Amino acid sequence: EYDGERNPEGERHGHGKALLPNGDTYDGEYEHGFRSGQGTYRFKNGAYYTGGYLQNKKHGKGVFFYPDGSKYEGDWVNDQRHGFGEYTYANGDTYTGEWLNHNRHGQGTYVYKDTGSKYVGGWVNGIQEGQAELIHLNHRFKGKFLNGNPVGHGKYVFDIGCEQHGEYIQSEQDRGEGDEEEELSFIVEPKWKALEIKNLTLWTPHGENPP
């Protein structure tokens, strides 16, 4: 069912309201028969989207409220979360940063509601990867992440005024050969190997003397 404006060719064009065969509804702008412009799409399951459309696809700025209570507010391209946006998860966690093809990708900050800890750094296809900082209540870890785990050299910085340098060692049994199913059952969290404890070091741009 459609109630709204049409162009001389009879296409939905301008503002209108539609009830779709599956029970969803749309209230917003149309161009040549397509949802294009600003509109609100309500799904039968209680989810709804309000924002930009281009040829029936979510495109531009928009907010999507999901059935589980989570919410995404930000950029969309071709029906995908793409660009910059903030996602509030059902458990209260939040991610603010870059998106690519519906996944967290690029630079972003993930805040864990339960602990107040936050991860600030790189993401690849939804997984923590690259240079990052994991910030806790009274200390932080600076280093590199791969597949969601810290890897290689890094340091823990403590609010009491010292830092511990070291590296994350990948467990030997993780390096076995075989198919993926086999490997997954052997993955063990990397172990931190402390190397030295020292006073806080000031970061200075390359080639400059510290003040």
Side-chain angles (χ1 to χ4, degrees):
E1 295 173 25
Y2 175 73
D3 176 20
E5 299 170 327
R6 294 181 184 271
N7 61 13
E9 289 77 36
E11 300 169 320
R12 299 175 183 187
H13 193 87
H15 188 269
K17 296 180 181 180
L19 172 61
L20 286 78
N22 63 2
D24 296 350
T25 62
Y26 175 75
D27 181 349
E29 297 171 325
Y30 284 87
E31 283 181 17
H32 300 290
F34 293 104
R35 294 188 294 274
S36 280
Q38 294 297 303
T40 298
Y41 190 106
R42 294 184 181 274
F43 296 82
K44 201 170 68 170
N45 64 7
Y48 74 96
Y49 168 82
T50 182
Y53 272 95
L54 183 66
Q55 295 202 322
N56 281 354
K57 304 270 181 81
K58 295 183 281 292
H59 196 94
K61 302 277 184 198
V63 189
F64 198 115
F65 296 86
Y66 295 88
D68 63 359
S70 59
K71 177 182 100 168
Y72 171 79
E73 183 170 1
D75 298 330
W76 296 81
V77 174
N78 197 25
D79 251 356
Q80 306 270 300
R81 297 186 292 268
H82 191 107
F84 188 89
E86 178 175 346
Y87 199 116
T88 304
Y89 296 85
N91 65 358
D93 291 358
T94 60
Y95 170 80
T96 308
E98 296 174 301
W99 296 78
L100 179 72
N101 298 331
H102 239 37
N103 284 319
R104 301 182 295 255
H105 191 95
Q107 293 295 306
T109 299
Y110 191 102
V111 179
Y112 300 87
K113 181 176 183 283
D114 282 353
T115 61
S117 297
K118 60 182 175 182
Y119 171 95
V120 183
W123 297 79
V124 175
N125 292 326
I127 296 170
Q128 296 169 345
E129 188 166 315
Q131 291 294 330
E133 214 172 331
L134 193 53
I135 303 166
H136 302 291
L137 204 55
N138 55 10
H139 70 285
R140 60 183 64 198
F141 170 76
K142 291 183 178 188
K144 200 172 178 187
F145 283 72
L146 184 66
N147 289 329
N149 286 312
V151 62
H153 288 278
K155 66 179 182 178
Y156 279 92
V157 181
F158 297 91
D159 289 358
I160 55 173
C162 67
E163 51 188 47
Q164 184 185 69
H165 293 230
E167 63 178 313
Y168 272 97
I169 310 290
Q170 201 66 33
S171 164
E172 283 301 319
Q173 54 194 136
D174 186 15
R175 297 184 182 153
E177 291 184 10
D179 62 29
E180 284 183 17
E181 277 87 8
E182 244 177 25
E183 277 186 29
L184 283 175
S185 59
F186 286 112
I187 287 179
V188 175
E189 280 196 10
K191 295 277 187 288
W192 173 248
K193 181 184 174 190
L195 299 175
E196 59 176 331
I197 292 178
K198 49 165 61 178
N199 290 334
L200 293 179
T201 50
L202 285 171
W203 178 85
T204 54
H206 184 66
E208 287 186 19
N209 293 322

